C-alpha cells in the first residue's frame, strides 16, 4: 500500500516538473502580456495548492504531521523574509524593481533549491519504501 501511495506522489512530482519545464520553455518566446498572464495563473495555482496542502496537514490527527506543518510554515515564512530582504538589497531599476540580472539569479537559485527539494523527496520516498516489509515478510506462516 505505501509503495503505491508513494509511486502516485512521485508520478505527480514528475508531472509537475515536466509542466514546470514546459512553462519555462513556452514563456521564453511569449509576449510580455502572455508572460504576465502566466505569472498570474502560476501565483493563483500556488496559492490554491498552498492552502489545500496547509488545510490537509492542519487537520491531520498525527502529531508528527502537526509538527511538520509548523516546520513548513516556519520555512515558508523564512523564504518569504529572505526574498523580501533580497529585493531590498538589490539595485533598483528605473521602475523601482530589481534588475533583470538579479531577478534571473534569484530564479536560477530557486530552481536549484526546487531540484534539491525534489531529490530529498525522492530519498525520503525510497527510505519509506525500504522500511516496508517485503510481500513474503507480510505473509503469516500457516
Amino acid at each position: 500500500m505505501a509503495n503505491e501511495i508513494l509511486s502516485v506522489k512521485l508520478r505527480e512530482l514528475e508531472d509537475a516538473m515536466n509542466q514546470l519545464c514546459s512553462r519555462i520553455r513556452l514563456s521564453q518566446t511569449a509576449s510580455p502580456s502572455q508572460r504576465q498572464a502566466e505569472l498570474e495563473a502560476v501565483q493563483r495555482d500556488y496559492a490554491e495548492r498552498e492552502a489545500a496542502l496547509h488545510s490537509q496537514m492542519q487537520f491531520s490527527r498525527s502529531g508528527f504531521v502537526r509538527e511538520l506543518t509548523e516546520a513548513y510554515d516556519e520555512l515558508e515564512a523564512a523564504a518569504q523574509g529572505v526574498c523580501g530582504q533580497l529585493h531590498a538589497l538589490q539595485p533598483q531599476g528605473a521602475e523601482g524593481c530589481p534588475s533583470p540580472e538579479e531577478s534571473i539569479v534569484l530564479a536560477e537559485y530557486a530552481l536549484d533549491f526546487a531540484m534539491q527539494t525534489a531529490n530529498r523527496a525522492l530519498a525520503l520516498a525510497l527510505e519509506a519504501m525500504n522500511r516496508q516489509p517485503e510481500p513474503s515478510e507480510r505473509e503469516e506462516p500457516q
Side-chain angles (χ1 to χ4, degrees):
M1 172 82 169
N3 287 354
E4 292 82 14
I5 292 169
L6 294 175
S7 292
V8 168
K9 287 295 185 183
L10 288 170
R11 178 64 184 170
E12 287 175 5
L13 178 60
E14 180 181 20
D15 291 346
M17 294 300 282
N18 286 337
Q19 185 180 29
L20 177 135
C21 292
S22 176
R23 285 174 133 168
I24 289 173
R25 276 193 298 276
L26 291 172
S27 294
Q28 290 174 337
T29 58
S31 70
S33 63
Q34 290 170 321
R35 280 193 301 269
Q36 183 61 37
E38 179 69 9
L39 173 60
E40 290 168 7
V42 166
Q43 289 172 331
R44 275 191 311 275
D45 184 54
Y46 178 85
E48 289 169 7
R49 289 175 188 263
E50 178 86 7
L53 177 62
H54 196 270
S55 177
Q56 182 182 12
M57 292 174 74
Q58 198 171 30
F59 292 112
S60 174
R61 289 183 237 159
S62 168
F64 174 74
V65 173
R66 281 192 296 276
E67 289 182 34
L68 186 60
T69 301
E70 289 176 18
Y72 178 81
D73 289 346
E74 290 172 14
L75 180 62
E76 185 65 24
Q80 299 245 343
V82 167
C83 284
Q85 291 172 357
L86 288 174
H87 285 297
L89 293 174
Q90 291 177 358
Q92 302 294 302
E95 301 168 357
C97 297
S99 71
E101 294 80 14
E102 294 293 329
S103 295
I104 291 293
V105 169
L106 181 59
E108 178 185 359
Y109 279 105
L111 290 168
D112 288 340
F113 296 147
M115 184 57 69
Q116 280 299 96
T117 301
N119 286 332
R120 180 66 179 144
L122 174 59
L124 289 169
L126 292 171
E127 287 173 9
M129 288 178 191
N130 283 341
R131 289 190 175 109
Q132 297 299 309
E134 291 296 319
S136 61
E137 296 173 7
R138 287 185 215 152
E139 297 172 9
E140 294 183 20
Q142 297 186 16

